[in-house]
């Protein structure tokens, strides 16, 4: 007989086990400090000799581009960082920076088990769910800081995803308002909120300015859906590719990386039905710089790539009406409009099942109507404050916070 444990129960059992181990570990360390104090004749015992000042944690290799500008800034200032990753092939493990030490800490629960007993002053991450699922706050970490990995909602995470961080790095005032609303609604203490801008978009914009040449090409449409029940392929299947191929334009399809894991069967079926040819290309590059640069227009749903493409590359988008279900997300709690859905009509047109046959006309209109260029300027101002200053502001904040923590420890 095979014993089956469902994922929810497995997560709960893992959390209980980690909690028990953590409590025992904490008690043991306290006893050890007291013993050292007695044996030393009552002299002060240094308990934080092995504490890491700064840790960056990434649960996936695709977030290296989010953290690299911050790592580069730390490196230029000569500050040592331990970059912990749950991807064995993360580019961070072979990064070119003298002061950034990449460390693979295992995948899935193995990574969280290490993090749950981490001894560090500050942990910076873009991973939601701290103290909600397997990832628990370590008793020997002083401060947890979350940085967004896209230019959109802070309320776009699964429920309670950022509730238990100490600080959030944001890029727009609407995000501040949403966080404060959620805190008040849930009776949570206020987190420290600091607007830094968007470091990875700053780096992308600088890279584009240095390399903006595009070879003459036929009109190219990039289809880049997100994943999950509300995403393009779940709603429309391969029909959208059929319509795109009928436009006569070149088509590049770039699925969300998570699709290859979470909806593998669906994606493999679509890829088999629409194999690569001179009209369609499937793109899985880890770095999306080149594919975004060569595309003339983007079709997506609620993926953050919409804002990369529109605000950095300054090109129009078409966004699919997928009847977004906000019930699993923090957005469900909001009493104000979801910001993304106020921004999208200003930077592009909505694609529905009813107007899909007019997709070619929509593409042509988006590429020629000047109102979408004006809309991009408005949206850029709302969600990308301090353009060009993101990495500097992030590191300034983290270094200042570290000094505050040190001062508080010494005073204690």
């Amino acid at each position: 007989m095979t014993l089956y444990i469902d994922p929810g129960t497995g997560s709960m059992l893992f959390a209980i086990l980690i909690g028990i181990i953590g409590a025992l570990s904490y008690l043991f360390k306290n006893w050890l400090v007291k013993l050292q104090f007695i044996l030393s004749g009552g002299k002060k015992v240094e308990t934080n000799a092995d504490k890491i000042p700064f840790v960056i944690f990434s649960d996936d290799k695709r977030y290296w581009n989010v953290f690299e500008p911050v790592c580069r800034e730390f490196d230029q200032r000569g500050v040592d960082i331990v970059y912990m990753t749950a991807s064995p092939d993360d580019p961070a493990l072979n990064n070119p920076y003298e002061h950034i030490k990449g460390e693979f800490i295992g995948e899935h629960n193995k990574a969280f088990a290490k993090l749950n007993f981490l001894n560090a002053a500050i942990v910076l991450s873009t991973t939601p769910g701290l103290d909600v699922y397997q990832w628990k706050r370590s008793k020997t970490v002083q401060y947890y800081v979350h940085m967004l990995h896209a230019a959109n909602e802070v309320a776009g995470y699964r429920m309670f995803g950022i509730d238990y961080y100490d600080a959030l790095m944001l890029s727009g005032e609407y995000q501040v308002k949403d966080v404060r609303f959620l805190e008040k609604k849930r009776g949570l203490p206020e987190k420290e909120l600091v607007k830094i801008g968007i470091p990875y978009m700053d780096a992308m914009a600088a890279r584009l300015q240095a390399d903006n040449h595009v070879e003459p090409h036929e009109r190219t449409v990039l289809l880049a859906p997100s994943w999950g029940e509300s995403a393009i392929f779940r709603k429309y299947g391969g029909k959208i590719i059929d319509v795109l191929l009928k436009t006569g334009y070149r088509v590049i399809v770039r699925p969300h990386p998570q699709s290859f894991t979470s909806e593998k069967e669906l994606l493999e079926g679509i890829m088999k039905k629409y194999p690569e040819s001179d009209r369609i290309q499937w793109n899985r590059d880890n770095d999306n710089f080149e594919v975004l640069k060569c595309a003339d227009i983007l079709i997506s749903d609620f993926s953050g790539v919409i804002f990369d493409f529109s605000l950095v590359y300054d090109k129009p988008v078409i966004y699919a009406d997928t009847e977004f279900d906000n019930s699993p997300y923090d957005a469900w709690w909001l009493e104000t409009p979801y910001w993304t859905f106020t921004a999208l009509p200003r930077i592009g047109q909505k694609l529905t099942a009813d107007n899909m046959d007019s997709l070619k006309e929509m593409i042509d209109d988006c590429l020629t109507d000047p109102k979408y260029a004006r809309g991009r300027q408005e949206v850029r101002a709302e969600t990308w404050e301090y353009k060009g200053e993101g990495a500097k502001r992030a590191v300034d904040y983290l270094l200042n916070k570290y000094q505050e923590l040190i001062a508080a420890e010494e005073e204690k």
Side-chain angles (χ1 to χ4, degrees):
M1 181 178 69
T2 302
L3 178 64
Y4 170 75
I5 300 178
D6 66 86
T9 303
S11 175
M12 180 183 68
L13 292 175
F14 179 81
I16 292 172
L17 177 62
I18 289 298
I20 293 172
I21 294 174
L24 293 175
S25 174
Y26 186 70
L27 286 173
F28 176 76
K29 288 179 180 178
N30 277 343
W31 290 337
L32 184 60
V33 170
K34 290 178 181 179
L35 180 61
Q36 289 176 323
F37 180 78
I38 294 170
L39 294 177
S40 67
K43 295 179 181 179
K44 182 180 178 181
V45 178
E46 177 57 60
T47 60
N48 285 327
D50 60 344
K51 183 178 284 290
I52 305 170
F54 298 100
V55 170
I56 293 177
F57 167 61
S58 175
D59 64 89
D60 194 279
K61 64 182 180 181
R62 67 179 180 269
Y63 298 122
W64 170 240
N65 75 308
V66 174
F67 290 117
E68 184 177 17
V70 177
C71 288
R72 187 185 308 119
E73 183 72 19
F74 269 122
D75 186 69
Q76 290 173 353
R77 302 193 195 191
V79 179
D80 292 331
I81 302 293
V82 177
Y83 190 106
M84 296 184 175
T85 175
S87 290
D89 55 347
D90 196 315
L93 297 173
N94 298 302
N95 76 80
Y97 306 117
E98 177 185 355
H99 296 279
I100 311 300
K101 178 189 175 187
E103 181 181 337
F104 172 56
I105 59 172
E107 299 178 274
H108 310 303
N109 284 344
K110 186 176 180 181
F112 292 126
K114 183 174 179 67
L115 292 169
N116 292 346
F117 302 108
L118 186 62
N119 185 14
I122 296 176
V123 174
L124 172 67
S125 182
T126 191
T127 304
L130 174 65
D131 234 22
V132 178
Y133 298 114
Q134 290 93 331
W135 186 15
K136 304 301 179 183
R137 290 179 63 104
S138 170
K139 294 180 182 295
T140 47
V141 169
Q142 293 172 267
Y143 216 72
Y144 286 91
V145 182
H146 182 86
M147 185 166 71
L148 299 179
H149 61 260
N152 54 16
E153 261 84 10
V154 71
Y157 289 122
R158 297 270 171 174
M159 282 191 190
F160 320 114
I162 44 87
D163 280 3
Y164 304 108
Y165 274 91
D166 299 298
L168 305 179
M169 290 180 171
L170 306 176
S171 66
E173 187 60 28
Y174 70 95
Q175 297 164 345
V176 174
K177 292 178 181 178
D178 286 351
V179 172
R180 293 299 184 225
F181 175 84
L182 291 171
E183 289 169 340
K184 186 175 181 180
K185 193 82 170 177
R186 294 171 181 166
L188 295 171
E190 287 193 350
K191 289 176 278 295
E192 187 170 9
L193 306 182
V194 52
K195 288 189 288 186
I196 63 165
I198 310 174
Y200 87 89
M201 284 180 60
D202 292 338
M204 190 181 289
R207 184 178 176 186
L208 182 62
Q209 186 175 9
D211 179 17
N212 61 5
H213 177 70
V214 179
E215 294 291 337
H217 61 281
E218 58 184 311
R219 183 161 287 178
T220 300
V221 181
L222 173 61
L223 174 64
S226 189
W227 66 281
E229 293 300 322
S230 298
I232 284 176
F233 282 152
R234 285 285 184 186
K235 293 291 184 178
Y236 301 130
K239 181 183 177 182
I240 190 169
I241 299 180
D242 274 332
V243 176
L244 280 173
L245 291 174
K246 290 177 183 176
T247 65
Y249 298 144
R250 179 178 174 229
V251 178
I252 302 175
V253 187
R254 181 181 168 84
H256 191 285
Q258 190 63 34
S259 292
F260 292 95
T261 301
S262 298
E263 45 196 16
K264 183 179 180 181
E265 185 175 346
L266 169 69
L267 194 56
E268 287 181 346
I270 294 175
M271 293 178 73
K272 184 177 180 180
K273 185 176 180 181
Y274 303 96
E276 287 209 359
S277 68
D278 60 340
R279 306 310 308 163
I280 182 171
Q281 172 191 344
W282 290 85
N283 180 274
R284 292 190 65 176
D285 294 346
N286 189 52
D287 182 358
N288 64 7
F289 178 78
E290 290 297 333
V291 72
L292 294 182
K293 187 173 73 168
C294 75
D296 298 301
I297 190 168
L298 170 73
I299 300 177
S300 189
D301 33 51
F302 50 88
S303 173
V305 74
I306 283 179
F307 296 108
D308 293 351
F309 188 81
S310 182
L311 306 185
V312 177
Y313 294 81
D314 200 28
K315 299 175 184 178
V317 299
I318 290 175
Y319 58 97
D321 176 16
T322 57
E323 299 177 359
F324 178 67
D325 176 14
N326 68 4
S327 60
Y329 305 99
D330 274 332
W332 182 85
W333 295 72
L334 298 180
E335 296 176 1
T336 51
Y338 197 56
W339 178 83
T340 293
F341 297 147
T342 70
L344 290 177
R346 291 179 279 167
I347 62 175
Q349 291 191 30
K350 180 191 288 188
L351 176 68
T352 68
D354 293 334
N355 68 10
M356 189 176 292
D357 289 336
S358 303
L359 187 52
K360 185 179 186 301
E361 290 74 18
M362 294 172 64
I363 291 171
D364 296 341
D365 184 48
C366 284
L367 287 167
T368 56
D369 193 328
K371 73 179 180 181
Y372 298 112
R374 294 192 296 271
R376 292 195 293 272
Q377 291 179 348
E378 295 175 3
V379 172
R380 190 181 292 114
E382 292 171 5
T383 196
W384 191 2
E385 294 188 30
Y386 305 116
K387 185 179 177 183
E389 303 176 25
K392 179 183 181 300
R393 286 178 171 271
V395 173
D396 283 346
Y397 167 75
L398 293 169
L399 291 176
N400 289 335
K401 177 55 62 177
Y402 181 65
Q403 292 303 319
E404 287 180 21
L405 296 174
I406 290 176
E409 280 289 305
E410 290 176 350
E411 184 177 343
K412 188 188 303 183

